[in-house]
Amino acid sequence: MEETDIPLSHELSDWCRSGGAGDFPYDGVIDRLRAVGKHFLDEELLTLLAKCRTVFTEASSGGEGVPDTFVGPFLDVLLDKFDDLYDYPSYTALALLRRGAPDGRSGWEVLRRHRDRTVLMLLADLIGFERNALEGTPRNPQGMLPGALLLNKRLRLATRVMEPAALRVLDGAVDPVVVAATPGRTPAGELADAVLATATAGDRLMLRTSLQPVYVLHDEYLFLRVLQSFETTFAFMSATLDEAVRTLRGEQPGEAAALVAAVTDVLRESLPLFSLLATMQPESFQVFRQFTEGASAIQSEGYKTFESYCSTPARARLDSFAFLSVPDVRSDVLAGRETVQGTWENVISSGWLPEPDAAVLRAAALQLEGVHQRWKQTHYRLAVRMIGTRSGTGSTEGVPYLASVISQRLFPAMEQQPAAG
Ligand code: HEM
């Protein structure tokens, strides 16, 4: 075990003594974390950080006006293993990622803008990290550094995911004609610079604090940023399907089809994130996943919320690891969450949704089903490549579990009632 860095301990102790009033020494703590990995932070430093958190929490609850709202969640994520609370949401630092997110009921265009901006930030940051490695000045974590060929491929694939979002929210950064002709050819460095030029102080702090690898291998940076990009996308999808349900109940139920289509589009645009992640070296993943045990995307509330807004999952699925791993989402479903499929069946049978509109909605749902099937198949193939016959980190047997969920449908009613039109 390495000894605690003396200047860092002093900086932290000073901050602690000030009751959290001054600037938190993020740089020192994050540099240390990325040099050794969260799993290997020394006990002495962790104990000091936990003490600082207590001081900070007391100062905040005493109304002493502590200005930095990142410190609390940052320390919770950093101390998750120490607290014995480590899981997928804390591994992916979702609490830090979501700071400043608009309210879930803000309207789908506001939510998509936030999703687009966040994914652009996450991937621009990844491009910056990979470019440092390509230029011969790698930053931590830098163990098992991939070669230039793989790193350049990473830049292209990251760009490919960014382009559609940049076309929507970043005027002039991307040429729509070039993107339509050959996706992924926008110069990665220029695009990343254009994105980061729009970053607020909050964005920069989010990027810095939300990357907390468990070990020292370079590829874990990619793994975390890809998971976070998907999670940001799932959050948008869930909130927009919630809006679709409300729209179906409202004056213009036919407008729900456009919302389902918007959800399909972002999921489709996100599929190359799997190709991007496929550039992770399996031998590298096998080393660092030893320290991610207990954190699995089977605990992704965003994914299960999205799924359970489409239709109510079958009882067997609700009682399997799939939903037992997300108890809050499961409770919402059991409490009778309304779904797109359930609501559309009601509004069609009551005559509230005219048949031509119902046909458009069914076609939109069918498209979402198709893209989700592609998502599951690509995820399955990636898992085969990365873990083969090894078990999952979320208590399942691994690849056989993923094979078993492919046959499930978001909109099972469509099986009996093929889309018209
Ligand atoms: C190295 C890449 C990956 C591997 C090897 C992998 C492997 C697995 C495995 C084995 C499971 C089953 C649960 C378990 O025991 O852990 C699982 C579930 C899941 N994974 Fe991945 N995964 C990978 C990447 C991703 C990514 C990038 C996402 C996007 C967030 C993701 C989302 C999910 C979701 C949502 C589930 C739950 C599926 C369900 O319950 O139906 N995975 N994954």
Side-chain angles (χ1 to χ4, degrees):
M1 193 177 298
E2 304 195 32
E3 277 180 25
T4 302
D5 184 293
I6 305 291
L8 176 58
S9 314
H10 285 164
E11 247 189 304
L12 270 170
S13 303
D14 288 349
W15 184 79
C16 243
R17 262 194 301 278
S18 79
D23 290 342
F24 182 79
Y26 285 112
D27 285 350
V29 175
I30 292 171
D31 287 352
R32 177 84 186 143
L33 165 75
R34 294 196 189 164
V36 298
K38 192 197 276 182
H39 196 81
F40 293 95
L41 281 171
D42 55 281
E43 200 73 17
E44 203 184 319
L45 176 63
L46 290 166
T47 309
L48 179 56
L49 284 162
K51 198 176 128 211
C52 288
R53 180 176 55 181
T54 307
V55 171
F56 177 76
T57 310
E58 280 165 8
S60 315
S61 62
E64 288 171 34
V66 179
D68 183 349
T69 56
F70 267 88
V71 177
F74 170 72
L75 289 175
D76 284 344
V77 170
L78 188 67
L79 292 164
D80 56 1
K81 287 189 174 236
F82 182 76
D83 293 335
D84 210 9
L85 291 174
Y86 172 75
D87 59 8
Y88 176 77
S90 73
Y91 176 52
T92 49
L94 293 187
L96 291 159
L97 219 60
R98 292 196 179 139
R99 297 199 81 70
D103 175 76
R105 295 206 158 200
S106 301
W108 74 275
E109 279 160 315
V110 173
L111 296 171
R112 189 176 64 181
R113 187 176 166 76
H114 178 74
R115 177 264 170 200
D116 285 346
R117 277 200 82 248
T118 309
V119 169
L120 286 171
M121 290 291 159
L122 294 169
L123 296 180
D125 175 70
L126 173 67
I127 289 175
F129 179 70
E130 302 299 13
R131 279 173 84 203
N132 275 143
L134 272 165
E135 286 158 9
T137 49
R139 283 185 271 141
N140 283 331
Q142 52 176 295
M144 295 177 78
L145 210 58
L149 208 65
L150 213 50
L151 293 178
N152 276 313
K153 193 170 173 191
R154 245 171 232 187
L155 299 192
R156 259 197 326 277
L157 289 164
T159 304
R160 189 147 168 212
V161 180
M162 293 165 80
E163 284 169 341
L167 279 171
R168 284 191 291 264
V169 302
L170 213 62
D171 267 356
V174 168
D175 182 340
V177 180
V178 173
V179 172
T182 13
R185 285 291 179 270
T186 305
E190 285 171 28
L191 180 54
D193 290 346
V195 170
L196 295 174
T198 68
T200 62
D203 293 329
R204 282 194 292 275
L205 198 53
M206 178 277 282
L207 289 174
R208 189 114 177 83
T209 53
S210 63
L211 202 292
Q212 303 198 20
V214 289
Y215 196 43
V216 295
L217 305 188
H218 182 89
D219 282 1
E220 196 182 348
Y221 205 105
L222 166 73
F223 186 55
L224 277 165
R225 288 306 191 213
V226 168
L227 290 172
Q228 292 170 339
S229 299
F230 267 124
E231 286 302 325
T232 305
T233 302
F234 295 154
F236 162 74
M237 293 166 65
S238 301
T240 302
L241 290 176
D242 178 36
E243 190 177 335
V245 171
R246 282 181 278 122
T247 304
L248 277 170
R249 293 215 163 287
E251 292 298 314
Q252 307 288 339
E255 288 177 4
L259 300 180
V260 174
V263 167
T264 308
D265 288 344
V266 289
L267 188 60
R268 189 188 293 108
E269 290 165 10
S270 306
L271 289 176
L273 281 170
F274 279 134
S275 316
L276 174 60
L277 189 53
T279 67
M280 180 165 71
Q281 305 164 103
E283 56 280 18
S284 179
F285 185 54
Q286 259 131 53
V287 176
F288 75 75
R289 84 187 284 264
Q290 296 173 82
F291 313 115
T292 63
E293 195 60 47
S296 158
I298 201 167
Q299 300 154 357
S300 165
E301 294 198 338
Y303 180 84
K304 297 288 160 53
T305 304
F306 142 67
E307 173 185 339
S308 56
Y309 264 117
C310 293
S311 65
T312 305
R315 189 71 216 200
R317 180 149 168 89
L318 282 174
D319 290 342
S320 74
F321 267 125
F323 274 82
L324 292 172
S325 306
V326 286
D328 290 349
V329 181
R330 186 170 181 271
S331 303
D332 287 348
V333 174
L334 292 174
R337 157 175 293 154
E338 290 189 281
T339 68
V340 171
Q341 180 181 286
T343 314
W344 109 44
E345 283 175 339
N346 288 341
V347 289
I348 291 175
S349 61
S350 67
W352 184 238
L353 186 68
E355 186 43 42
D357 285 351
V360 176
L361 180 59
R362 277 196 215 101
L366 200 62
Q367 296 240 326
L368 178 54
E369 189 83 80
V371 175
H372 184 236
Q373 281 302 115
R374 274 170 65 198
W375 188 95
K376 286 193 287 184
Q377 279 152 3
T378 317
H379 175 232
Y380 168 81
R381 283 198 301 272
L382 179 66
V384 169
R385 177 176 152 78
M386 292 294 166
I387 60 172
T389 55
R390 294 173 183 83
S391 55
T393 49
S395 314
T396 77
E397 69 280 32
V399 164
Y401 170 81
L402 297 179
S404 75
V405 297
I406 288 186
S407 60
Q408 276 153 14
R409 292 290 180 267
L410 294 175
F411 300 101
M414 305 259 291
E415 306 265 288
Q416 295 102 43
Q417 199 179 39

